[in-house]
Amino acid sequence: MTNTTTDLTRATAAQLADLLAAGQVSSVEVTQAHLDRTTAVDEQVHAYLHVAGQSALAEAAEIDRRRAAGEPLHRLAGVPIAVKDVMTTVGMPTTCGSKMLEGWIPPYDATVVAQIKAAGLPILGKVNMDEFAMGSSTEHSAYGPTRNPWDLERIPGGSGGGSSAVVASFQAPLATGTDTGGSIRQPAAVTGSVGTKPTYGGVSRYGLVALASSLDQAGPCARTVLDTALLHEVMGGHDPRDSTSIDAPVPAVVEAAQRADIKGMKIGIVKELTGEGYQAGVSARFEESLQLLVDAGAEIVEVSCPNFRYALAAYYLILPSEASSNLAKFDAMRYGLRVPPTGIDHPSAEQVMAASRDAGFGDEVKRRIILGTYALSSGYYDAYYGTAQKVRRLIANDFDRAFETADVLVSPTAPTTAFRLGEQLDDPMAMYLNDVATIPANLAGVPGMSLPSGLADEDGLPTGLQILAPAMQDQSLYSVGAALEAALTDRWGGPLLDRAPDLTAKGA
Amino acid sequence: MTTTVDEVLPYDEALAAFDPVMGLEVHVELGTNTKMFCGCATTFGAEPNTQVCPVCLGLPGALPVVNAMGVESAIRIGLALNCEIATWCRFARKNYFYPDMPKNFQTSQYDEPIAFNGYLDVEVPGEHGEEPWTYRVEIERAHMEEDTGKSLHVGGSTGRIHGAEYSLVDYNRAGIPLIEIVTKPLTGAGERAPQVARAYVAALRDLLKALDVSDVKMEQGSMRCDVNLSLRPKAGEPTSPEQAAVPLGTRSETKNVNSLRSVERAVRFEICRHAAVLSNGGSIVQETRHFHEDTGATTSGRIKSDADDYRYFPEPDLVPVAPSREWVEELRATLPENPAEHRRRLQTEWGYSDLEMRDVLNAGALDLIERTVAAGASAQSARKWWLGEPSRRANTEALELVAYADQVGLTPAYVAELQSMVDAKRLNDKMARQVLEGVLDGEGAPTAVADARGLELVQDDGALEAAVAKVIEGNPDVADKIRDGKVQAAGALIGQVMKEMKGQADAGKARELILSTLGEG
Ligand SMILES: [Zn+2]
């Protein structure tokens, strides 16, 4: 193996880990290669909001020193990673894609970030997202959109478009994401990458700037199922600082990804998540994947989840309600943006709060705060928030029943391939429909994964397949994901992302 | 800023026309070592913003974790108030914007309190010869919540936010565990409503102290009382069914009334104010009011309106609290004796008459006496000392006895020490009073005061014998009378002996010596 920059950025995290362990490359070389790649392509992609080259190289050097000293290291030690800008990081800005937090440097690390640091993964920087994770395109970032490496005129998904684009453009082998209604899975689907939303409570939320506390879940983003599993293991586990964290060992996801064994497994197709409303190429790739799963020894069954049709409506009551309360803390009193109101000589605290919130929040955030404030208002609470919570219970019941007949469920991740930048900006409802297949998992707290299923014939853009498993059975996602990935890679004659355009040739 | 002075109706006239109904909301800061949702310390009086962390500052991403000791205290309080304990309950977010509230919502409990449906029997002391009266205060709920930070408004004249130049916020208090105890509407108290309110808050304070869950210092704000009051037309005796059938009137809410005396005065003032408004054909505005210690009056605060919508919803960052029945029963077993029963037991043990006990309770001296007895003094002597000079001075300074003793540094141990010096005949009664005054004047412990002031009974029998001999010699007539059996004449000689000894002698001993010298001993 020649240690050219290109080779190192094309390698998977698992391959890099092996090279590092064997002493064939140093972490400094690997980290530098990814930083160089960012210099070469990120002007076009705009995945990063903050590149932390110096601290990443320092951490890489430290790992190299420790490795040379023979210290026991985590398997992923020295493999660099990008972090979604919704996670607090000591010494690095954390903006959540909002003007509200421009320049805010947190005094504490999110638990996930602390775990990444403890495992010795150099953090390359913070990646872009829709403002406070509200959106499916990263167009709602206050710092400009991220672009899809497959077609720079198209969206990379959202809210975690920075995370999907950074791995799909080979600027990082791994990235963290958060998924409230599909923000890991939908970006993975439209960029030809892999992402998992673990079981709710499987990964600590401490230090994740909350969007909707009962739905938010952090998870891993990568280019392969195994890499995703490796990062899942680093991120997961019980955290006493998060009351909703599950006090149980992380499911054996890496082992499942390595075994890729689905013989005799029952795979359920959710009737309500297929057919009408799905782009033809998306459906075609989905059907092909089902056949490959059968060929690998699985049995396909059909299940019905009738209440899924109410999921979107319930989601858009619960999410804005919780968000309206979570975002109340941004009041210009202690940190973040402070804008004095114009035309008032001695403004009151309330007037400063109002002016700052008006200046600091973007339209989509304001839209959801208004929605949520309304939904929680006395006299409306029962009809809106109360009813939405009942729907949530019904959706969980649908999952329970479906998992009585199927070990996992599958569907297309998103109804379409990546749409064009600006295409859905004036139509929030069209934007919200991108998450119709991913939202039920957040409402019920079950784990889900998206992995590439191919390219749509009509536009040559990536399509994604979603796998859903019962709560705390995250390893099932990896068994199925790895088996399908192996079959598809065989068919394609190599990873799908090898077919993505070469950004260095095209660019500048 | 202009202040309107409210009209008031004389109390008797108010009560002749109206029946008062009260609701009392008491906030108690728990004495846990750490805050309700984070590990920060709760020490009172620390430098501003030194007991804070990402959680209680509400920094983005931080999450709360429930303090188990806070829940335990809440359950014990609920049990002591004869409440049912929820098998499953949640925290809720109370959303409103205020700079001293870091998250702009308060984590509280809304429709699922940890404890509910209880009562506290309160002994209302008799005044002007009335019999003491037991009044049952029905408890609606006791729930857990977190305190807010504290704003200090600088500049301006009122110390309130209006007119201030700038405000400083101290978040040390943000997140300190609070229990809010809410009564049901208290009816039937009639003209004794102010005393009932005071007696309830006092009883609650005693109970919480006995539970050892809070330091319940009203003057430091660790126990705060909001007084809701409304009047309705009088229809019969306060406890009569005709009266109970009259609907409740509009209430006012007087916030943060911070002493027992103020609770009583605030209720009384609001009765007179409401009565004046209603008698003049006016209507009561539903509003919060502030009580002023100096004038004993309340003034208008914020008007409450339907626009106050806190948009409560279950706190999604916390899991439900589901105390097992085993745990609740374990906690029930740790409850201290009910204060009323405790008082009855002490009265028997100490041999106090009903009158003596009533004086002790009215003086707020029970706990002090109990601790003094525990420190070795007799019950009678402890009562004598506490109800003497300290009570007199506390009264002059309009302080609770406990608060006064705290302020001047008079402890039960000191009182016991003082009495032990009397018992050991180091001091006589008069000297002991002087020593006590020295302690109250801040001169230190009784022994130190006695030493510094040179107060000590002369133990040297030789000096006493010499003084006795001198006085007998100087009063041969009186000596003869005594020799003739008129023992009562000894009093004249004792006085002179004490004078010779400059007061520092044991009068009893002087008497013995005189009598024995004159052959009557
Ligand atoms: Zn704290």
Side-chain angles (χ1 to χ4, degrees), chain A residues 88 101 104 107-108 200 204-210 213-214 240-244 321-322 324-331 333-335 349-350 353 357 372-374 376-379 381 385, chain B residues 53-55 57-66 90 93-105 110-111 161 165 169 171 306 308-319:
Chain A
T88 61
L101 278 176
W104 182 58
Y108 75 106
Y200 182 80
S204 169
R205 289 187 300 115
Y206 190 81
L208 271 53
V209 181
S213 312
S214 72
R241 286 189 297 185
D242 173 1
S243 309
T244 60
S321 296
E322 293 184 9
S324 69
S325 173
N326 282 332
L327 296 181
K329 60 166 63 86
F330 301 103
D331 63 1
M333 294 293 113
R334 292 163 303 280
Y335 48 80
E350 284 77 7
M353 287 181 187
R357 288 168 67 81
T373 304
Y374 188 78
L376 289 176
S377 296
S378 96
Y381 177 91
Y385 192 81
Chain B
C53 73
V55 177
L57 282 178
L59 292 190
L63 295 174
V65 175
V66 173
R90 288 178 294 187
R93 292 186 183 180
K94 180 181 182 180
N95 294 285
Y96 63 102
F97 283 85
Y98 203 78
D100 67 14
M101 208 168 47
K103 298 168 291 184
N104 286 319
F105 62 78
Y110 179 49
D111 48 359
I161 192 162
E165 278 172 48
V169 191
Y171 294 104
D306 295 339
D308 282 340
D309 182 352
Y310 294 119
R311 288 173 285 119
Y312 282 101
F313 72 102
E315 166 58 282
D317 283 330
L318 291 171
V319 288

Side-chain angles (χ1 to χ4, degrees), chain A residues 369-413:
Chain A
I369 289 175
I370 292 167
L371 262 173
T373 304
Y374 188 78
L376 289 176
S377 296
S378 96
Y380 298 99
Y381 177 91
D382 289 337
Y384 293 141
Y385 192 81
T387 307
Q389 290 293 2
K390 285 179 200 151
V391 168
R392 197 172 182 169
R393 183 67 250 159
L394 294 176
I395 286 168
N397 292 346
D398 277 2
F399 270 117
D400 287 346
R401 259 193 309 276
F403 287 129
E404 280 167 18
T405 48
D407 297 307
V408 297
L409 307 178
V410 292
S411 78
T413 309

Side-chain angles (χ1 to χ4, degrees), chain B residues 305-373:
Chain B
S305 72
D306 295 339
D308 282 340
D309 182 352
Y310 294 119
R311 288 173 285 119
Y312 282 101
F313 72 102
E315 166 58 282
D317 283 330
L318 291 171
V319 288
V321 176
S324 75
R325 296 299 96 178
E326 292 75 30
W327 189 37
V328 170
E329 289 316 307
E330 268 171 42
L331 293 179
R332 197 190 298 278
T334 70
L335 291 184
E337 197 179 2
N338 166 303
E341 285 163 23
H342 187 62
R343 278 197 294 277
R344 279 190 284 278
R345 180 172 61 78
L346 288 180
Q347 185 180 350
T348 315
E349 272 179 28
W350 293 347
Y352 286 2
S353 68
D354 287 351
L355 193 66
E356 284 171 335
M357 195 63 184
R358 194 206 302 180
D359 288 345
V360 164
L361 293 175
N362 284 341
L366 187 77
D367 183 51
L368 293 166
I369 291 174
E370 190 179 6
R371 282 153 63 199
T372 306
V373 169

Side-chain angles (χ1 to χ4, degrees), chain B residues 260-308:
Chain B
L260 295 181
R261 194 164 157 262
S262 298
V263 168
E264 184 171 347
R265 289 169 81 205
V267 171
R268 205 179 173 90
F269 180 87
E270 282 296 283
I271 289 175
C272 298
R273 185 183 71 82
H274 280 226
V277 172
L278 296 171
S279 310
N280 292 337
S283 53
I284 297 297
V285 180
Q286 192 178 339
E287 61 181 352
T288 58
R289 296 184 68 88
H290 304 288
F291 179 75
H292 304 276
E293 303 267 351
D294 46 354
T295 59
T298 67
T299 56
S300 177
R302 206 167 53 90
I303 308 258
K304 283 216 161 186
S305 72
D306 295 339
D308 282 340

Side-chain angles (χ1 to χ4, degrees), chain B residues 35 38-40 51-57 174:
Chain B
K35 292 186 180 182
C38 64
C40 286
Q51 295 176 350
V52 293
C53 73
V55 177
C56 56
L57 282 178

Side-chain angles (χ1 to χ4, degrees), chain A residues 152-171:
Chain A
L152 295 171
E153 294 311 309
R154 291 181 186 260
I155 60 102
S159 67
S163 304
S164 65
V166 86
V167 296
S169 62
F170 300 95
Q171 299 185 62

